[in-house]
Amino acid sequence: MRKGIIATFILFLISLSIVLLSFSMSGRSTYAETARMPFLTNHMPDIEEDDDRVFIRHRIAPANPEDYGRRFIGKSFNLRDAGDLIGNGGVKMTKRVSMTYDDVLVQKEETPYLFYGNGDTADSQKIDAKIKEAELSSPASADDRMVTIAVERDAIYRFEPLTLIIAPGKEKPLMSEIEVYVRRAANKQLRANGDGRLSINVQPYGSGYKAVYLHPFGGSIGDYEFVVYYESKGVKRVYAKPFYVKGRPVPPVDRTLAVVTMEYNLPISDKKIPGVNGGTGDYHTIYDWVRAMNSDTFWVLGGQTTGWDASITPKKVWGSIPVKNIELFAESKSKKDVKLGAYVMSYFTPGYGNQNAGYSISLTYGSSGVQASRHISLSCKKRLGDIIDLLKRFQDNKNVSYLGLDFIRTGEFDGFEMADEMVSVTGANAPAGWSSMKLEDKVTWLANEVVRSKEMLSKWRWFRAYKSSMVIKSIRDAGITKPLWVFTLGWNHGVEHGQDPYMFFDAGADMDAVMLYEATRDVYQQMMVHWPVYLSGNYNVLVGNMIDKRLLDGSELAQLEYAKRYNEACQKLNRNNRVRGVFFHDISRMFWSKYRGIEVNEWAYINASVVSRMREKYGETMIQTSIDVNDESGEGVLSIVNLTGNSIEGIEIQPYGGWELKGVFPAKKRIEMLAGNEKLQVPFNFGYRESMAGSKSMIAFRVILPGGEASVVFVYTNAKRPRALVLASPEKRI
């Protein structure tokens, strides 16, 4: 009996030793290792998931035609003064607005770059010929001038309109006798206006006329000139007035940024967070995850106005929870070297919070007429003041390094309450009696024109980008000095929603975080065409995607598609430069969304690998890593290349295997020395759990340098192409 007990006890000890050894070989870190670098375990606790309604959607893909018929299903606009909007004002409409895909969006067979200042067409050649002919006969004598011309300013930024004033000379010419164009000063090439046309509208102004130039999206910086062409009774004259289009130099970032975002409007202090080494922790643990993802920056939602927060009033416009979350993260004991950013959801108010807070409401138009949207008007002075006040509060916090703006735009089809300002700023031709028309009729007219006329659609898009740019400029002018980033849409670089990276940079943005998510594979590929054609130059552009398996079609595994899209964006987004970073949106989805699709730690390894490939591509790391596996034999090779000419001593290797695997066992876990430019191959083997044989499972390695910097690489077994995604050139791959 006694011998049996002893034998049983010995067997227990042996079993326990095997279990502990198994954990160790599958990558369990020691306490000392954990203190140096968080190591992710494949034994994650069960964490309660949030309702998906918690997470904000950022729809940016082109709309389906059916969407427009379902657009106006929110609250009807409760007019405070019905007399302001009721009545037809004498406007005769031939039809209601037809909200179709064909009318609203640039088509695939068309190029949106027709509007980017390209005046080299048959029309431009014909106009150019008549201008040159008239220039030869235009006298230099001021006594013979039919008109005199002047500009408001000698130089403009790309987001600023420029008005040309035309005063009569000997006698006042008819408006029909005057044509206005803009051309490059150096080569005299005609350039299109911001509405896509070469000719600029001429309108009455005082005793003379005016013409408003809108620098086209993507137009070049440099010397330009207005050209006024006059023709009457056989007399042809040309007058020119120079001006300069300038760009704001953008402060460079020290190092390519790796950013984790958090868009969350629930108390972070109450949340249970999985620990990077197993178990659970509190909100302090989130910083460990940021570091585990090879990231050095954490951007968190700090300001939001919602309709479901009963405490929101005109005197208290910001929900208290996001503000408190920022304060907690700013004072966290785990923050250490991670830089914190706080951003504001600027003009979008979920749940119609714009009405609760007493803001000017952005108006939309559809089958039910004029209605309220969930956006605040870009012309609302109260909202701008409230945004500035909150940003100043964050700026005064010494532990907040960056400030950000999200939703600095209207919706897909709203903002029409700004019809008056739009007509004034852009020089659009409005109906007779415009000044006496009621607001409802102005909204109706503009909505119809935007759908009917490409010229008006282009003017409308330009105007909204101008208004968003003026928000940024006003924030800078108010004394906001910390580095400022903006989130912008990825589809057609935000033009449809009134955003433009060049205009935003000129207005004062230091970084543009481009949201390349909520897009099908086809749409994403179109983005990868639009952006490099459009974006060029030394600008701080970051690329981001969303942790949501529903939004990642195109590959066998959503997570591989996710990494693949980062790969493509880092290589293609800027035509003759490079992106300045990546951002991962967002960590709350990684923790608590049921649509994350895979384990929390797998997302962390993928994100860390994205950063590693980016660092390799831009020469910001000492080593390059890659994996090759043979799924049938359960064998593989981890390759480590020293990218420097100096030897590196004391490199550690930490393996990870998905829960489907028994473990991943490298031949060595430490490299005493890697000579300069040496390539070392470390064999490893892996095995499935019996019930999981043949499953797709992650294998990953964290290769840690002596200073703590890590290079992470992953692969999924049994995939169509079971290889690690790398940004390095093909000849460097195994």
Side-chain angles (χ1 to χ4, degrees):
M1 180 70 177
R2 187 174 177 181
K3 291 182 179 180
I5 293 174
I6 293 173
T8 302
F9 181 71
I10 291 173
L11 287 172
F12 169 77
L13 291 177
I14 292 172
S15 300
L16 180 61
S17 299
I18 291 172
V19 170
L20 291 175
L21 178 61
S22 175
F23 280 148
S24 174
M25 296 186 73
S26 65
R28 275 268 189 205
S29 59
T30 66
Y31 177 81
E33 289 172 332
T34 303
R36 292 183 59 250
M37 171 65 71
F39 173 60
L40 281 59
T41 174
N42 59 358
H43 299 278
M44 301 300 295
D46 291 330
I47 300 294
E48 184 178 355
E49 295 171 342
D50 284 332
D51 190 295
D52 194 50
R53 289 175 296 179
V54 170
F55 305 110
I56 298 293
R57 299 295 299 275
H58 295 77
R59 186 175 178 281
I60 64 171
N64 293 320
E66 296 82 6
D67 290 341
Y68 291 116
R70 299 192 297 266
R71 179 181 302 279
F72 309 102
I73 59 177
K75 294 182 182 178
S76 296
F77 187 26
N78 183 17
L79 301 177
R80 291 175 181 161
D81 184 355
D84 286 345
L85 293 181
I86 294 179
N88 60 23
V91 179
K92 295 181 179 180
M93 307 303 299
T94 57
K95 63 176 182 177
R96 305 297 277 182
V97 175
S98 172
M99 298 286 293
T100 67
Y101 177 89
D102 291 343
D103 290 332
V104 176
L105 296 176
V106 176
Q107 296 303 288
K108 290 181 179 179
E109 63 270 16
E110 298 172 345
T111 169
Y113 312 112
L114 290 175
F115 303 154
Y116 297 165
N118 182 6
D120 189 16
T121 64
D123 286 342
S124 71
Q125 294 170 12
K126 194 178 299 183
I127 295 169
D128 184 60
K130 78 174 184 180
I131 289 175
K132 287 179 178 177
E133 178 188 355
E135 281 181 309
L136 294 174
S137 62
S138 295
S141 170
D143 296 336
D144 196 32
R145 284 184 174 270
M146 305 299 179
V147 299
T148 59
I149 59 177
V151 289
E152 291 177 311
R153 300 183 299 281
D154 293 331
I156 58 170
Y157 285 109
R158 286 169 284 190
F159 67 91
E160 296 177 312
L162 182 62
T163 300
L164 175 74
I165 307 300
I166 305 169
K170 293 180 178 180
E171 57 186 47
K172 184 175 180 179
L174 299 175
M175 194 164 67
S176 59
E177 297 172 338
I178 295 176
E179 299 173 16
V180 177
Y181 305 94
V182 164
R183 66 187 180 187
R184 292 298 298 263
N187 58 16
K188 307 301 181 184
Q189 183 181 21
L190 292 171
R191 308 304 287 170
N193 187 38
D195 60 10
R197 301 181 310 135
L198 293 167
S199 178
I200 300 174
N201 291 346
V202 179
Q203 299 172 318
Y205 182 78
S207 60
Y209 306 103
K210 72 172 184 178
V212 181
Y213 171 69
L214 314 175
H215 196 59
F217 289 125
S220 302
I221 294 170
D223 291 300
Y224 291 80
E225 59 186 18
F226 275 108
V227 177
V228 177
Y229 176 85
Y230 167 81
E231 181 176 358
S232 177
K233 300 176 183 178
V235 176
K236 300 176 182 179
R237 296 288 185 266
V238 170
Y239 308 94
K241 187 67 178 179
F243 64 93
Y244 183 74
V245 177
K246 57 187 177 179
R248 168 181 164 265
V250 178
V253 296
D254 296 334
R255 189 187 188 205
T256 310
L257 293 176
V259 182
V260 176
T261 71
M262 185 169 193
E263 187 173 83
Y264 200 62
N265 195 354
L266 294 176
I268 196 64
S269 58
D270 299 339
K271 297 301 292 185
K272 185 183 293 185
I273 314 293
V276 294
N277 293 298
T280 58
D282 57 16
Y283 68 91
H284 298 287
T285 308
I286 293 179
Y287 278 113
D288 293 334
W289 284 100
V290 172
R291 282 183 280 267
M293 289 186 274
N294 273 1
S295 298
D296 46 27
T297 308
F298 187 33
W299 288 348
V300 181
L301 174 65
Q304 190 178 43
T305 304
T306 66
W308 55 75
D309 187 341
S311 69
I312 298 294
T313 67
K315 292 185 178 181
K316 182 183 177 300
V317 300
W318 300 110
S320 58
I321 293 173
V323 175
K324 181 62 177 177
N325 286 346
I326 292 293
E327 293 172 349
L328 290 173
F329 283 126
E331 298 298 327
S332 172
K333 61 187 179 183
S334 297
K335 180 179 180 296
K336 300 175 184 176
D337 57 340
V338 175
K339 291 185 177 181
L340 177 64
Y343 72 89
V344 176
M345 197 168 285
S346 305
Y347 288 88
F348 173 60
T349 56
Y352 295 88
N354 48 8
Q355 296 183 20
N356 297 352
Y359 289 124
S360 300
I361 295 170
S362 182
L363 299 181
T364 186
Y365 180 82
S367 57
S368 300
V370 178
Q371 288 185 286
S373 74
R374 293 178 293 173
H375 287 80
I376 300 166
S377 175
L378 291 172
S379 293
C380 181
K381 293 181 179 178
K382 172 176 166 51
R383 183 59 169 187
L384 178 58
D386 289 338
I387 291 172
I388 291 171
D389 288 344
L390 185 58
L391 291 178
K392 285 183 176 179
R393 178 174 174 178
F394 293 146
Q395 177 162 276
D396 291 341
N397 190 320
K398 63 181 181 180
N399 292 323
V400 175
S401 300
Y402 300 103
L403 303 175
L405 300 169
D406 193 11
F407 282 101
I408 45 167
R409 59 181 177 88
T410 61
E412 292 175 84
F413 202 73
D414 62 59
F416 296 119
E417 76 288 346
M418 299 184 291
D420 258 329
E421 188 179 2
M422 183 268 184
V423 167
S424 174
V425 167
T426 65
N429 290 325
W434 177 258
S435 60
S436 61
M437 285 171 55
K438 296 181 181 297
L439 178 58
E440 181 182 33
D441 302 316
K442 291 180 178 180
V443 168
T444 303
W445 172 81
L446 181 56
N448 273 273
E449 286 297 296
V450 164
V451 171
R452 183 190 65 81
S453 163
K454 281 189 176 180
E455 172 195 341
M456 196 63 73
L457 172 62
S458 298
K459 272 187 162 68
W460 175 238
R461 288 173 173 174
W462 193 97
F463 170 75
R464 293 195 297 173
Y466 155 80
K467 288 295 293 182
S468 296
S469 299
M470 289 303 294
V471 169
I472 298 171
K473 182 180 185 300
S474 298
I475 288 170
R476 284 303 198 190
D477 290 346
I480 298 300
T481 57
K482 284 187 175 179
L484 181 70
W485 89 87
V486 293
F487 286 108
T488 63
L489 299 172
W491 171 251
N492 205 14
H493 37 83
V495 167
E496 282 91 344
H497 291 253
Q499 296 185 321
D500 180 72
Y502 291 123
M503 295 170 78
F504 283 6
F505 281 125
D506 281 358
D510 296 315
M511 292 168 282
D512 184 1
V514 182
M515 301 182 293
L516 298 174
Y517 34 86
E518 299 212 24
T520 64
R521 163 48 62 172
D522 288 343
V523 171
Y524 192 85
Q525 288 176 325
Q526 291 179 58
M527 291 181 187
M528 293 300 102
V529 173
H530 288 175
W531 273 97
V533 170
Y534 187 72
L535 183 65
S536 173
N538 193 23
Y539 295 99
N540 300 327
V541 173
L542 286 72
V543 295
N545 221 310
M546 185 186 291
I547 298 171
D548 190 324
K549 67 178 182 181
R550 297 169 298 176
L551 311 174
L552 297 164
D553 67 319
S555 297
E556 184 178 4
L557 297 178
Q559 56 270 35
L560 291 179
E561 177 69 17
Y562 176 87
K564 183 179 180 181
R565 292 188 185 191
Y566 275 109
N567 177 1
E568 294 173 350
C570 285
Q571 294 190 68
K572 297 179 180 178
L573 211 73
N574 194 329
R575 180 165 72 252
N576 60 5
N577 213 295
R578 65 178 181 86
V579 301
R580 290 300 192 273
V582 293
F583 67 96
F584 308 117
H585 188 73
D586 73 275
I587 200 169
S588 65
R589 298 169 196 263
M590 187 177 95
F591 290 150
W592 306 302
S593 171
K594 64 183 179 180
Y595 295 110
R596 67 175 180 266
I598 56 174
E599 293 297 326
V600 172
N601 44 18
E602 293 191 27
W603 279 118
Y605 271 110
I606 293 169
N607 289 341
S609 177
V610 166
V611 176
S612 296
R613 305 291 79 74
M614 178 181 69
R615 300 264 190 245
E616 291 171 4
K617 180 176 177 62
Y618 300 146
E620 295 179 342
T621 182
M622 293 191 290
I623 61 172
Q624 175 183 322
T625 56
S626 58
I627 302 177
D628 201 4
V629 299
N630 185 324
D631 190 63
E632 293 183 3
S633 66
E635 298 173 327
V637 174
L638 166 67
S639 295
I640 306 172
V641 181
N642 186 343
L643 300 175
T644 75
N646 302 318
S647 61
I648 304 173
E649 297 181 358
I651 299 175
E652 297 180 20
I653 300 174
Q654 292 180 342
Y656 169 83
W659 66 273
E660 302 91 346
L661 300 178
K662 290 181 179 179
V664 178
F665 310 108
K668 58 176 65 179
K669 287 191 176 182
R670 180 177 175 85
I671 302 170
E672 296 302 333
M673 187 183 75
L674 187 65
N677 301 313
E678 180 184 0
K679 176 179 179 179
L680 178 67
Q681 293 188 326
V682 180
F684 64 88
N685 54 43
F686 59 94
Y688 290 98
R689 300 180 190 278
E690 291 183 7
S691 60
M692 295 294 165
S695 298
K696 296 176 177 64
S697 183
M698 172 181 274
I699 294 175
F701 288 93
R702 181 183 295 274
V703 181
I704 306 171
L705 298 176
E709 182 179 342
S711 177
V712 176
V713 63
F714 79 94
V715 68
Y716 276 86
T717 66
N718 199 34
K720 288 183 178 179
R721 290 176 60 94
R723 300 179 63 89
L725 289 167
V726 297
L727 291 179
S729 57
E731 61 270 15
K732 291 186 178 180
R733 299 181 189 176
I734 297 175

